[in-house]
Amino acid sequence: MDVIDPLLKQSNSKIIVILLIGSLISSCNAVKHVKDSESLLTKNEIIVDGELLKDDLVYAQLSQHPNTRVFKVPFSLHIYNLAKEYPDSAYNKWLYKKPLRKVRYEKLLSKKQVAEMGNSYRGFNNWIKKTGEAPVIIDTLKLEKSKKRLERYYARRGWFRSSASYTVNKDSSKRASVTFNVNRQQPYILDSIQKKISSPIVDSIFDQTKPLSFLHEGDQYEAINFENEIDRLTIQLRNSGMFYFEQEYVTFDADTVNTGHKANITYLIPDRNITQGDSTYTKPFEIHTVNKVRIITDYTYANRDATLKDSVHYNQFELYSYKPQQFRSNAITDAVAITPGKIFRDIDRSLTYNQISELRVFRYPTISYDQDPEDPTGLIATVLLTPLKKYNFSVNFDAFTSTVQEFGIGFSTTLSIRNMFRGAETLEISARGSLGSSKDNASNSSSFFNISDIGGDARLSFPRILSPFNTVKLIPKYMAPRTIINTGFGFQNNIGLDRQNLTAGFNYHWKPAKSKTWRLELANVQYVRNLNVDNYFNVYSSSFDQVNDIAQDVGYTFEDMNDQLGVPTEIDAFIDDALGENPDNLPFTKDDIDDLSSIDQRQERLSEDNLIFSTALTYIKDSREDIYDNNFYRFRTKVEFAGNLMAAVNKLAGASQNADGNYEVLGVVFSQYTKIETDYIKHWEINENAVFAVRALGGIAIPYGNSNSIPFIRSYFGGGANDNRGWQPYDLGPGSSGSILDFNEANFKLTFNAEYRFTLLGSFKGALFVDVGNIWNISDIQTDLAFTFDGFSDLSELAVASGFGVRYDFGFFVLRLDTGFKTHNPALQKGERWFKEYNFANSVINIGINYPF
């Protein structure tokens, strides 16, 4: 590639851009860096017993795979080909191509900067190589390795005599495919299964658990079943008191000589080997008992040789410390599953690790067992605990812009206090605040920062269930039970309706298994007070526009010369007059009255104070093993009841009702409703570079009794980066209403998402997605048919968005840019809804952090 000579005043970055553009054309040759004696691998095929195989697990045995392709194009290879094979030579060739070029640049810049230009070019070249993917050149040694791995793969599955071969299919363009042929022959079947077990106690436990075996007569041989059987027996025996039993004691003898492709299996489990000095002898395995459990509560590596100064004996546990004991005894022993006087169980050590970690006041513990010198079948367990720092303080600052404010600065701070009451409790106190500048609130006398939002939270966590009842049998300690008491507040100034928010809660959490979580929000209280309700029509401008248009249509005499209703006095009076006696005899139509009535009801609902007393139960089942697991599902369901207890108390107490027939607490009508929602997510790993993910979500909140609608803070909305990406947040629905409000919300929601995720280049990821969903009103104050869900026929109002996304995986988070197109818009007339707005002009660009589901 020739390097274009830039003008003298062009910067180094422009040189790189020119190099990149010039190279892009030549990089399209996939075999650019493939030598004449080499072949680029374009395809692998595996033929097993004459049939072409498609099993990804078998193809994963191959040592070489073709370059990654996206829509059959090896983009990563083309990116790699942009790089120069010898960047230093290429740079020097360009620099010395014209006699005076180097001199001119050194005069304009300096010798050091010219040398740095070369370093930058070399670094950029290396970055291209790292981002791209080097051509996969067929390697004979790796082909032989693949052949052996295929033979081993099928041998592990019972085809002991399988054989593999390969053929390289070259063409004239330095490309080639490889075909592997596998001849499996007849598989081996498990025939008889016998045992030779020396220790009587091991033999007894083996017989008791034999129905759980992975090996069965008549099954085809599978190596994984033997490995699982070794694991099963080891776990079973080590959880039955056999402290010295290890996996190496379980072996198998397989007789396959002259058996007609049958394998006669014999378990071999000898006695325990004991080495003393230079001699070794065997002894039958015995059941060991934990005689003592010693816990050191303030261990550090630095004090390991110091003298223990404090000791406590509690429920047969021995607790020691180098300093005066800082923890109540039961707070520690409740988290230790290893129990004095009980037989040794390996699972108790694992449970103790987990339960100590769940306390969140210690580092990961160290647990060891030693032989009791006074008892040959006794053990002494030692648990070393290293406390975390009692106090932890963090501060964060941020600067931002939003639709509400042109510029804002914010902060948040958290103080954590561990072991608050010597029972491993944790208290977290956090504060947050922001100052912003909004032109909507600006005046000649106002300062630059004219809006604010401050708040604080306190969260006290107990590592146990706080209850007057004994819950140990229902929720044992291995479930890591936790009680959380929280409270918080938030105050806004010159933002919306200047909302004040107060919350308090009493909640339980526990985990019956690694994949299962229960959360019981026993008592949650939330009070929302709107201080600046006069600002309603300034905030909800679409409602203002509707009222103002009606006023103009009926010939209303405006106080303002620009035919604009004044807020709040004039617009409130206009609505009251229209819905009342209409003293000016303005010619309102029935539709005008209906619209004004709906706007008045919505204003009352969104500006009224809310008081919510609720109880909720959440269940979560998550099969994901770790962050690298791409084959998993997650199921979540939640049921919430609000206001029922308060309604019953008021009714029994004979409390008076207000003019609307509602009960009040402290002058505020409390909400009463039932809310149910379910969320299901499933991921499938297509291959190492692609994942297919789906989500289904449904939720409904039904008001009754003391309420005829759901509080805004508990309602559903549609649209946004994690929902239906063809619409902005709050811009979708309800139903076919056309998103005529500023903040469209409702009490019934359906959402379905599907997304295909794939690798583009290294950390750059791509996605294709389809989002389906909408929100509706159901069984509440809304009566407009365009807003409500009246039956399955309204499922035709499901909005559909489709689009593509580009993401960058930083490792600890993913930056996401998704573009959604309105594929089916229920706001349009029937027959005009599909693909009428499928264009970039009506698309929505969504920026998000991490994946949407």
Side-chain angles (χ1 to χ4, degrees):
M1 180 195 70
D2 291 330
V3 182
I4 301 174
D5 184 9
L7 295 175
L8 188 60
K9 294 184 179 180
Q10 285 182 315
S11 65
N12 184 36
S13 62
K14 291 184 178 180
I15 295 174
I16 294 176
V17 171
I18 294 172
L19 291 174
L20 182 60
I21 295 173
S23 300
L24 186 60
I25 299 173
S26 61
S27 73
C28 293
N29 179 11
V31 295
K32 177 180 178 181
H33 293 307
V34 179
K35 299 176 181 178
D36 291 338
S37 60
E38 298 174 335
S39 296
L40 176 70
L41 178 61
T42 59
K43 186 179 182 181
N44 283 324
E45 285 186 337
I46 301 177
I47 297 176
V48 178
D49 297 336
E51 293 186 5
L52 180 63
L53 196 69
K54 295 294 185 182
D55 190 340
D56 288 339
L57 187 60
V58 180
Y59 279 87
Q61 308 307 310
L62 304 182
S63 298
Q64 285 189 299
H65 300 272
N67 289 99
T68 304
R69 291 172 176 262
V70 179
F71 304 116
K72 298 186 178 181
V73 178
F75 286 110
S76 56
L77 174 58
H78 290 318
I79 293 297
Y80 181 90
N81 285 342
L82 288 171
K84 281 291 185 179
E85 190 172 3
Y86 305 104
D88 289 335
S89 298
Y91 177 73
N92 288 330
K93 181 180 178 181
W94 168 80
L95 188 62
Y96 292 101
K97 185 175 182 180
K98 293 187 177 182
L100 299 179
R101 177 177 290 170
K102 182 174 183 294
V103 175
R104 292 202 310 268
Y105 270 93
E106 288 179 348
K107 287 182 179 180
L108 177 65
L109 304 171
S110 67
K111 287 185 178 181
K112 184 177 180 179
Q113 287 176 321
V114 171
E116 188 60 34
M117 286 172 58
N119 293 333
S120 298
Y121 178 77
R122 188 185 311 111
F124 183 70
N125 196 82
N126 291 336
W127 177 81
I128 291 175
K129 286 185 176 181
K130 184 178 179 181
T131 302
E133 189 176 81
V136 179
I137 306 301
I138 293 178
D139 186 329
T140 303
L141 292 178
K142 291 183 178 180
L143 290 177
E144 287 293 328
K145 183 178 179 181
S146 297
K147 169 190 166 184
K148 292 178 180 178
R149 290 186 65 178
L150 285 172
E151 292 172 343
R152 191 183 309 120
Y153 174 86
Y154 284 105
R156 283 178 53 83
R157 285 153 180 80
W159 288 280
F160 294 158
R161 303 183 187 280
S162 62
S163 61
S165 61
Y166 61 84
T167 303
V168 179
N169 311 299
K170 297 183 179 181
D171 64 16
S172 59
S173 61
K174 297 191 292 186
R175 294 173 172 86
S177 64
V178 179
T179 301
F180 292 89
N181 280 279
V182 180
N183 183 11
R184 295 184 301 185
Q185 301 188 30
Q186 186 176 346
Y188 277 75
I189 305 298
L190 302 186
D191 191 16
S192 65
I193 300 178
Q194 307 295 327
K195 63 175 180 175
K196 289 183 180 180
I197 301 176
S198 301
S199 299
I201 187 63
V202 175
D203 188 56
S204 175
I205 294 174
F206 177 91
D207 288 340
Q208 293 173 18
T209 62
K210 190 175 181 180
L212 302 176
S213 175
F214 286 90
L215 305 181
H216 304 96
E217 294 178 358
D219 288 353
Q220 183 171 325
Y221 176 94
E222 287 272 2
I224 189 64
N225 288 337
F226 286 81
E227 295 165 2
N228 289 337
E229 182 67 359
I230 292 173
D231 290 340
R232 182 191 71 83
L233 284 171
T234 304
I235 292 170
Q236 180 66 58
L237 293 169
R238 286 187 62 81
N239 285 326
S240 300
M242 261 145 282
F243 173 70
Y244 289 103
F245 195 89
E246 302 292 343
Q247 280 188 335
E248 291 74 16
Y249 282 105
V250 183
T251 58
F252 297 92
D253 178 66
D255 180 12
T256 59
V257 179
N258 298 323
T259 60
H261 287 86
K262 293 181 179 180
N264 297 313
I265 306 299
T266 302
Y267 286 85
L268 302 177
I269 305 179
D271 286 336
R272 173 190 168 198
N273 286 320
I274 302 175
T275 301
Q276 288 186 343
D278 296 332
S279 63
T280 300
Y281 64 95
T282 62
K283 177 183 178 181
F285 283 98
E286 298 174 300
I287 293 178
H288 284 68
T289 302
V290 178
N291 292 343
K292 298 178 182 179
V293 178
R294 297 173 174 173
I295 307 170
I296 300 177
T297 60
D298 58 354
Y299 173 83
T300 62
Y301 184 79
N303 66 13
R304 65 192 184 282
D305 297 323
T307 302
L308 294 166
K309 297 182 179 179
D310 197 358
S311 64
V312 176
H313 287 70
Y314 177 81
N315 283 353
Q316 297 183 293
F317 289 90
E318 301 175 11
L319 289 87
Y320 300 93
S321 60
Y322 296 97
K323 297 179 181 179
Q325 189 62 256
Q326 298 296 313
F327 296 88
R328 291 201 307 272
S329 299
N330 67 323
I332 304 300
T333 59
D334 283 352
V336 177
I338 305 167
T339 307
K342 301 291 185 180
I343 67 168
F344 165 79
R345 300 196 318 159
D346 216 17
I347 192 175
D348 292 336
R349 174 160 37 188
S350 300
L351 288 172
T352 301
Y353 281 130
N354 294 336
Q355 291 166 192
I356 291 293
S357 298
E358 285 291 333
L359 292 179
R360 303 172 190 174
V361 294
F362 296 105
R363 299 184 186 278
Y364 197 74
T366 299
I367 302 175
S368 61
Y369 290 89
D370 296 296
Q371 182 79 50
D372 189 339
E374 300 178 357
D375 182 358
T377 61
L379 299 172
I380 298 175
T382 302
V383 183
L384 303 180
L385 303 179
T386 302
L388 296 168
K389 291 181 179 180
K390 186 176 182 65
Y391 300 98
N392 185 65
F393 183 74
S394 62
V395 180
N396 295 299
F397 293 92
D398 191 17
F400 53 87
T401 62
S402 70
T403 56
V404 176
Q405 46 197 308
E406 283 69 44
F407 176 76
I409 56 174
F411 80 93
S412 63
T413 180
T414 301
L415 171 64
S416 298
I417 306 175
R418 299 185 177 93
N419 197 32
M420 186 70 180
F421 306 117
R422 301 183 63 243
E425 305 87 358
T426 301
L427 174 65
E428 294 180 351
I429 303 173
S430 60
R432 62 187 181 279
S434 65
L435 294 173
S437 174
S438 173
K439 64 183 180 180
D440 295 331
N441 295 304
S443 65
N444 293 332
S445 60
S446 66
S447 60
F448 177 74
F449 291 110
N450 51 16
I451 61 177
S452 63
D453 188 354
I454 62 172
D457 299 282
R459 185 178 186 270
L460 181 59
S461 177
F462 298 84
R464 53 194 171 276
I465 297 294
L466 296 183
S467 171
F469 309 104
N470 188 348
T471 61
V472 174
K473 291 185 178 180
L474 182 64
I475 308 176
K477 60 183 182 180
Y478 77 83
M479 293 185 183
R482 185 167 293 275
T483 302
I484 299 172
I485 302 173
N486 61 277
T487 185
F489 71 91
F491 299 145
Q492 294 178 338
N493 180 45
N494 283 340
I495 300 177
L497 304 182
D498 289 358
R499 175 182 298 172
Q500 292 184 344
N501 187 46
L502 302 176
T503 60
F506 189 93
N507 310 316
Y508 296 132
H509 292 185
W510 68 96
K511 297 187 67 171
K514 179 182 177 182
S515 62
K516 300 176 182 178
T517 302
W518 286 94
R519 297 173 185 167
L520 174 60
E521 300 171 29
L522 187 63
N524 273 348
V525 181
Q526 184 172 12
Y527 172 54
V528 178
R529 182 186 179 194
N530 295 304
L531 296 182
N532 190 11
V533 295
D534 290 344
N535 198 40
Y536 177 85
F537 284 106
N538 290 325
V539 176
Y540 298 91
S541 56
S542 64
S543 295
F544 173 86
D545 291 339
Q546 284 182 271
V547 177
N548 203 74
D549 288 345
I550 292 174
Q552 292 177 352
D553 291 342
V554 299
Y556 173 76
T557 303
F558 293 88
E559 297 177 7
D560 183 83
M561 297 295 295
N562 296 320
D563 288 351
Q564 295 286 309
L565 290 166
V567 177
T569 304
E570 187 178 9
I571 192 170
D572 287 343
F574 175 79
I575 295 174
D576 291 341
D577 289 344
L579 299 180
E581 298 180 357
N582 188 16
D584 296 328
N585 292 318
L586 296 174
F588 294 106
T589 66
K590 183 180 182 303
D591 288 342
D592 292 338
I593 297 299
D594 290 344
D595 289 343
L596 290 173
S597 178
S598 176
I599 292 169
D600 186 55
Q601 289 176 352
R602 181 173 173 81
Q603 178 190 9
E604 181 179 358
R605 174 172 169 252
L606 297 183
S607 61
E608 68 181 358
D609 298 339
N610 295 127
L611 184 59
I612 303 172
F613 298 91
S614 67
T615 297
L617 181 64
T618 303
Y619 171 73
I620 299 173
K621 176 70 180 295
D622 192 339
S623 69
R624 192 169 195 178
E625 294 292 333
D626 52 50
I627 60 174
Y628 303 105
D629 185 2
N630 289 322
N631 279 302
F632 69 94
Y633 70 88
R634 184 178 188 272
F635 172 78
R636 181 188 65 90
T637 187
K638 179 179 180 180
V639 180
E640 179 182 2
F641 302 97
N644 295 331
L645 179 61
M646 294 303 301
V649 169
N650 276 269
K651 188 174 182 179
L652 290 174
S656 59
Q657 298 175 311
N658 62 16
D660 296 323
N662 296 323
Y663 294 112
E664 295 181 350
V665 174
L666 301 178
V668 180
V669 175
F670 60 85
S671 299
Q672 188 174 4
Y673 60 86
T674 295
K675 185 177 184 180
I676 303 173
E677 58 187 33
T678 298
D679 187 10
Y680 179 79
I681 296 171
K682 173 66 178 173
H683 286 208
W684 292 272
E685 185 175 45
I686 308 302
N687 54 54
E688 61 180 353
N689 293 311
V691 172
F692 184 68
V694 298
R695 175 178 65 174
L697 181 149
I700 186 170
I702 302 297
Y704 52 87
N706 215 51
S707 299
N708 56 18
S709 62
I710 300 300
F712 182 83
I713 54 177
R714 291 289 199 273
S715 61
Y716 296 106
F717 70 91
N722 297 321
D723 193 72
N724 197 312
R725 284 163 280 187
W727 282 260
Q728 296 283 2
Y730 292 99
D731 268 359
L732 175 60
S736 58
S737 64
S739 312
I740 61 176
L741 305 173
D742 298 278
F743 298 93
N744 297 278
E745 44 79 37
N747 64 324
F748 176 46
K749 179 173 183 174
L750 292 174
T751 295
F752 308 95
N753 310 87
E755 185 170 271
Y756 177 66
R757 301 166 185 166
F758 50 89
T759 298
L760 287 173
L761 298 168
S763 295
F764 283 100
K765 313 294 180 181
L768 301 174
F769 61 83
V770 176
D771 301 327
V772 180
N774 207 337
I775 57 173
W776 294 268
N777 291 90
I778 186 170
S779 299
D780 66 358
I781 196 173
Q782 181 60 254
T783 59
D784 191 324
L785 294 178
F787 287 73
T788 59
F789 187 88
D790 301 306
F792 288 107
S793 61
D794 284 331
L795 292 178
S796 64
E797 297 174 349
L798 286 168
V800 180
S802 57
F804 60 89
V806 178
R807 293 88 186 266
Y808 189 86
D809 189 347
F810 287 91
F812 53 93
F813 76 95
V814 175
L815 180 63
R816 178 164 52 93
L817 182 67
D818 293 339
T819 302
F821 299 90
K822 294 178 177 64
T823 308
H824 177 265
N825 188 355
L828 302 179
Q829 294 295 320
K830 290 184 178 181
E832 300 290 327
R833 294 176 175 177
W834 285 98
F835 297 104
K836 290 297 181 181
E837 297 180 334
Y838 201 87
N839 50 58
F840 280 98
N842 291 292
S843 65
V844 175
I845 297 177
N846 302 271
I847 299 176
I849 300 297
N850 294 328
Y851 292 107
F853 53 89

